[in-house]
Amino acid sequence: MTWQGAIETTVSGLGYELVDAEKSAGGLLRVFIDHPVAAAPTGGVERFITVDDCEKVTRQLQHVLEVEGCAYSRLEVSSPGLDRPLKKAADYHRFAGHQVEVTLKMPFKGRKKYRGELQPRDDGWRLVLEQGGGVDAEQRALDFMFDEVREAQLVPVVDFKGRRTGKQGNAGRESAGDEVDGGRML
């Protein structure tokens, strides 16, 4: 069994999805895991990979890779991050409606990189691109096939406002978004 096969079998056997695995020339073996779509709870709450998940997979992979005779000097297991790569067709289906950045294999109208909302089409994919800003922003679209893509990844969305609670009185004002450094309000 190859090292890729051993990793994929182990990760999926533990109930996770293998996003990517890469081996560097220096012997570093990086494994990126995520929760599969079916394991996501209902109600729209997204589950994230925790340190405990990474530790569980790391411990199991250490044993499996030793038994399989796969050489590596260091093993890193982590989540794919906010800019998660889209590697398989199933990833495109899972993240339809999200903002993604796509790099094409061949340039189209002098460009290879495009950013927009990913939408499914009958026989491929569509990237809805917004030009300009405001209410009257012109929308254009790029239609492409899965095999025309060199790489694709989610556009990171960081929303610090989501951590705030509803209405608060004066007592909760500091935690409502004011920054504190060394006990002083900034």
Side-chain angles (χ1 to χ4, degrees):
M1 182 182 291
T2 65
W3 64 271
Q4 295 103 329
I7 290 171
E8 185 155 10
T9 302
T10 303
V11 169
S12 62
L14 291 171
Y16 299 97
E17 174 190 355
L18 178 64
V19 175
D20 199 9
E22 55 189 38
K23 199 173 192 180
S24 72
L28 172 64
L29 182 56
R30 285 194 176 119
V31 177
F32 300 96
I33 61 171
D34 202 355
H35 292 286
V37 178
T42 57
V45 178
E46 190 175 355
R47 289 181 51 199
F48 298 102
I49 293 295
T50 65
V51 173
D52 293 335
D53 296 323
C54 295
E55 180 184 7
K56 178 180 173 182
V57 172
T58 299
R59 289 181 189 273
Q60 190 64 32
L61 279 176
Q62 287 172 334
H63 296 297
V64 169
L65 294 173
E66 183 178 339
V67 168
E68 292 294 329
C70 300
Y72 67 95
S73 62
R74 196 172 81 213
L75 174 63
E76 290 181 3
V77 176
S78 69
S79 76
L82 294 175
D83 58 348
R84 182 191 201 279
L86 307 179
K87 297 282 189 172
K88 302 172 272 202
D91 294 338
Y92 285 70
H93 289 287
R94 178 178 180 178
F95 293 105
H98 288 76
Q99 291 288 316
V100 298
E101 186 172 281
V102 173
T103 303
L104 301 173
K105 291 178 182 174
M106 300 296 294
F108 177 71
K109 293 192 176 186
R111 289 177 52 192
K112 285 187 176 183
K113 281 194 168 194
Y114 292 89
R115 181 184 284 201
E117 182 181 321
L118 182 65
Q119 296 179 351
R121 287 196 54 225
D122 294 336
D123 58 345
W125 296 95
R126 172 170 281 173
L127 202 59
V128 177
L129 315 164
E130 277 195 25
Q131 300 298 321
V135 177
D136 297 330
E138 175 191 345
Q139 286 198 345
R140 296 186 319 179
L142 171 70
D143 294 333
F144 62 94
M145 302 298 288
F146 178 73
D147 61 348
E148 294 176 315
V149 176
R150 173 168 292 149
E151 61 184 29
Q153 64 188 39
L154 292 176
V155 174
V157 177
V158 181
D159 181 16
F160 293 109
K161 293 180 182 179
R163 300 189 75 199
R164 295 182 186 174
T165 58
K167 289 185 177 180
Q168 294 182 350
N170 291 338
R173 185 170 287 173
E174 179 179 303
S175 63
D178 294 340
E179 294 184 33
V180 177
D181 182 27
R184 297 181 326 172
M185 295 277 270
L186 296 178

